[in-house]
Amino acid sequence: EPVAAAAPPAAAPVGTGALVPIKEETVEFTAGLLGGVAGFAIGGPVLGAIGAAAANYASKTDSEISDVISAVSKSSIQVYNYLASLDSKYE
């Protein structure tokens, strides 16, 4: 049986070079993701789901907590993009 050749790796996005762009949608998604991870670590899957929903909702409101959550989400996206660029650099 012939074995199919592996697909070539996807090309890096052109422009900023960021794997995940920092937009409002990605910041809100990351807020929910981080809230879910924090809730899961503290109280399991139920608290993880509640934490994800609460963090996602809080990131969409006009309050001080929204600014804090957005800043943490943006920072985590920047860290992820940096680590992904290091990974691709040393492959």
Side-chain angles (χ1 to χ4, degrees), residues 5 15 20 23-25 28-30 34 48 78 87:
V20 179
K23 301 185 300 187
E24 184 178 354
E25 296 87 20
E28 291 171 356
F29 177 78
T30 305
L34 293 174
Q78 290 171 341
D87 183 49

Side-chain angles (χ1 to χ4, degrees), residues 1-7:
E1 273 176 48
V3 177

